[in-house]
Amino acid sequence: MSRTRIRAAAIEIAAKALAAGESNSTPQARHYTDAEAVVDALGSRICAPPRRRTRASAKSAGGAFETLIVRGLAAALDDDRIERRVRNGVRDRGDVTGVRAPGGGRLVLECKDYGGEIRAAEWTAEAEAERGHDDALVGLVVAKRMGTKKFGDQWVLLTMRDLVAILTGRRNHII
């Protein structure tokens, strides 16, 4: 949305608010003049288009989220072997290493911070590919939940096949 359209919408909202606050019949044109003054006084704070995430800010947010997950898991499981994994390009093996299922199988964790957006099918397919690259038992997705930075409040996405693998300790290709 352009600055001009944002400004026009802000003026419309402010004019309606001014009209609602008065009980007498002040001319509507005066409300628009007052609203324009308010919007102009706020300037770029109200008329700026929404900021888009840059590659650098996305990378930074993703790294911070991975660190949150690693520290949280290491503390919750009392296991200092859990750590962020070095990127492997096309043969990526997940974002977090050192996590084990109760039966001992390795888990691949793919961390995603998309500002609360969930792309379950895309991400679980990516986690499955990375599970294969690592020859792990299960690949699962840890997704950032909008509005909270608490470790325990984040989402975990996995398929029923992966849940069964975690519970039984083996991959069942029949399912």
Side-chain angles (χ1 to χ4, degrees), residues 65 108-114 116-128 138-145 154-163 166:
F65 184 60
V108 167
L109 275 67
E110 182 63 25
C111 298
K112 297 292 185 181
D113 180 355
Y114 274 55
E117 183 180 339
I118 302 293
R119 298 180 183 177
E122 177 185 333
W123 296 344
T124 54
E126 182 179 345
E128 176 60 19
V138 170
L140 41 96
V141 177
V142 180
K144 171 77 174 71
R145 186 172 174 187
Q154 307 312 315
W155 301 113
V156 177
L157 309 171
L158 67 156
T159 64
M160 286 304 295
R161 181 179 299 108
D162 292 333
L163 178 61
I166 290 171

Side-chain angles (χ1 to χ4, degrees), residues 18-158:
L18 288 170
E22 290 188 9
S23 58
N24 62 10
S25 59
T26 306
Q28 190 174 7
R30 180 167 168 239
H31 292 304
Y32 277 91
T33 304
D34 293 345
E36 283 179 331
V38 169
V39 170
D40 289 340
L42 291 172
S44 64
R45 289 174 287 196
I46 198 167
C47 296
R51 288 180 28 168
R52 297 224 160 93
R53 181 175 268 183
T54 64
R55 181 171 170 80
S57 70
K59 201 170 184 181
S60 175
F65 184 60
E66 289 173 15
T67 300
L68 170 75
I69 298 306
V70 165
R71 289 181 180 164
L73 279 173
L77 301 175
D78 192 28
D79 190 341
D80 60 358
R81 296 172 295 176
I82 299 172
E83 60 188 17
R84 288 180 64 192
R85 181 172 264 161
V86 176
R87 304 280 187 259
N88 290 316
V90 75
R91 301 282 299 168
D92 192 14
R93 300 182 304 150
D95 297 325
V96 178
T97 186
V99 182
R100 301 267 178 191
R106 287 190 329 280
L107 304 180
V108 167
L109 275 67
E110 182 63 25
C111 298
K112 297 292 185 181
D113 180 355
Y114 274 55
E117 183 180 339
I118 302 293
R119 298 180 183 177
E122 177 185 333
W123 296 344
T124 54
E126 182 179 345
E128 176 60 19
E130 293 175 0
R131 180 205 67 79
H133 296 159
D134 195 46
D135 197 28
L137 178 66
V138 170
L140 41 96
V141 177
V142 180
K144 171 77 174 71
R145 186 172 174 187
M146 188 156 184
T148 181
K149 292 183 179 182
K150 293 181 181 176
F151 164 77
D153 292 342
Q154 307 312 315
W155 301 113
V156 177
L157 309 171
L158 67 156

